[in-house]
Amino acid sequence: MNFMDMRSFCLATASLIAIVGCSTVSRVDGKFVAEGFVVDLCSVVQEPATYHGQVLILQGKAVPPDHSQMLLTSDGCEEAIALEFDESLTATAEKRQLDSDVWIAFPSPQAGTNVTLAGRFSYKKGSRPSRILRVVSISFPQAATAVPRQEQP
């Protein structure tokens, strides 16, 4: 089963019998580790009830709050997801790096940083914020490394 088949299967299964998502978060050596596939952030924003209660892995841009919680956004999405961080992340290097990266360019509209987050998603229709990810795992995209050009013989 390829990635798209797996994604379709997981979403269809979740829609039909309301199981918890196909991603998992487990504790290894005192840290949470996320396993599974990355869910499209715009899909979650557009159909939040479908993902309510599921463990998700999301990629996007963490941006400074505007009088609320830190937000996760993505190009092309009309709305964002509010972020709440598990207490276990408070003193971690990843959380400190995220806070620093998000606030370094504030108040510039370019403020924020690309990040992959894992946690349990909740949707509360009519609440503000209505879409919340309870984050238990933070990771950052790997920086591209230049590969030296090989000399032609």
Side-chain angles (χ1 to χ4, degrees):
M1 184 179 294
N2 69 29
F3 170 77
M4 288 308 293
D5 292 339
M6 182 63 171
R7 179 174 177 213
S8 298
F9 170 77
C10 292
L11 294 178
T13 304
S15 297
L16 292 175
I17 59 174
I19 64 166
V20 171
C22 294
S23 298
T24 60
V25 176
S26 54
R27 196 178 279 262
V28 177
D29 295 328
K31 293 183 86 174
F32 287 106
V33 176
E35 296 176 347
F37 61 89
V38 176
V39 177
D40 178 59
L41 183 71
C42 293
S43 295
V44 177
V45 168
Q46 291 169 352
E47 299 181 34
T50 302
Y51 297 93
H52 176 72
Q54 293 189 35
V55 173
L56 304 178
I57 301 173
L58 298 172
Q59 290 178 331
K61 184 176 182 180
V63 297
D66 55 349
H67 309 293
S68 66
Q69 296 145 294
M70 190 181 294
L71 302 172
L72 187 66
T73 65
S74 182
D75 292 338
C77 293
E78 293 181 15
E79 295 189 43
I81 296 175
L83 303 176
E84 290 181 351
F85 294 91
D86 190 82
E87 297 80 25
S88 65
L89 292 174
T90 304
T92 65
E94 292 85 1
K95 179 64 165 83
R96 286 191 302 272
Q97 179 182 347
L98 179 62
D99 288 338
S100 174
D101 291 352
V102 164
W103 287 101
I104 197 157
F106 186 78
S108 166
Q110 288 78 30
T113 190
N114 293 323
V115 66
T116 301
L117 303 172
R120 187 165 305 277
F121 177 76
S122 63
Y123 174 61
K124 299 175 188 170
K125 187 175 181 176
S127 294
R128 292 209 42 92
S130 61
R131 297 162 179 85
I132 300 170
L133 184 69
R134 176 80 175 168
V135 179
V136 296
S137 175
I138 302 169
S139 60
F140 299 92
Q142 298 294 324
T145 56
V147 177
R149 237 177 15 176
Q150 297 292 326
E151 296 280 331
Q152 295 290 334

